[in-house]
Amino acid sequence: MGNLDAKDRQILRELSRDGRISNLDLAERVALSPSATLRRVQALEKAGVIRGYRAVLDPAAMGVGFVAYIAVGLNEHTKAAQEAFERAMAQADEVRECHNITGSVEYLLRVEVADLGAYKRFHTDVLGSLPQVATLQTYVVMGSPKDDRA
């Protein structure tokens, strides 16, 4: 569905802001009838443009007090090494995002943990125990002036 029109984009913007908005309120905000709005939303879902809806959690309320991005370089540039690393990251609850990237390293992780001690344990016990990992560079998040995930 690569041919999104202005109304589709407006619907997507509103749903991105509030995924629990009622169809009636959404229709009002995008200036369409409720039935036309519902048809468009269903078409966007069916086409895979809308992949799902989720709750946005408050990190502090969840006990997260330390967020870091980690650039990870692998010691082998093989499919097997990448797959093994990706499997390990899929199992690590601390890893909230894992991106395969271009540049001087292969992966960028976003890690959320309770505190510096918990990060050190993750760094040592999880990342430090993986035979595929050659380099790690940590970037500690001190603040997030813009975060569209929230």
Side-chain angles (χ1 to χ4, degrees):
M1 187 169 191
N3 54 349
L4 299 175
D5 65 14
K7 283 296 179 191
D8 289 335
R9 292 183 192 288
Q10 194 177 6
I11 287 169
L12 294 171
R13 260 192 315 278
E14 293 298 330
L15 287 173
S16 292
R17 289 186 190 118
D18 181 2
R20 294 185 65 168
I21 189 172
S22 71
N23 186 63
L24 192 60
D25 288 341
L26 179 59
E28 189 175 296
R29 288 189 191 177
V30 300
L32 286 174
S33 71
S35 59
T37 302
L38 183 59
R39 277 193 304 275
R40 283 177 177 260
V41 169
Q42 289 172 336
L44 291 164
E45 290 171 343
K46 185 176 180 184
V49 175
I50 297 173
R51 294 190 328 196
Y53 301 88
R54 67 184 76 179
V56 177
L57 308 177
D58 180 342
M62 299 291 296
V64 172
F66 188 91
V67 179
Y69 286 85
I70 307 169
V72 180
L74 301 184
N75 56 18
E76 293 181 31
H77 304 285
T78 64
K79 183 176 181 180
Q82 286 186 339
E83 288 173 345
F85 179 78
E86 290 173 9
R87 279 192 304 275
M89 294 305 95
Q91 297 300 312
D93 292 336
E94 301 88 347
V95 176
R96 303 300 297 148
E97 297 176 23
C98 175
H99 304 279
N100 184 219
I101 60 173
T102 64
S104 60
V105 296
E106 286 75 31
Y107 290 92
L108 183 64
L109 310 177
R110 184 169 61 82
V111 173
E112 295 181 352
V113 292
D115 53 28
L116 182 59
Y119 175 74
K120 183 175 180 357
R121 283 188 295 282
F122 169 75
H123 187 279
T124 302
D125 297 342
V126 177
L127 294 176
S129 70
L130 295 174
Q132 304 85 9
V133 173
T135 63
L136 298 170
Q137 178 133 15
T138 301
Y139 302 90
V140 176
V141 175
M142 297 187 328
S144 298
K146 181 177 181 179
D147 186 347
D148 282 342
R149 292 171 294 132

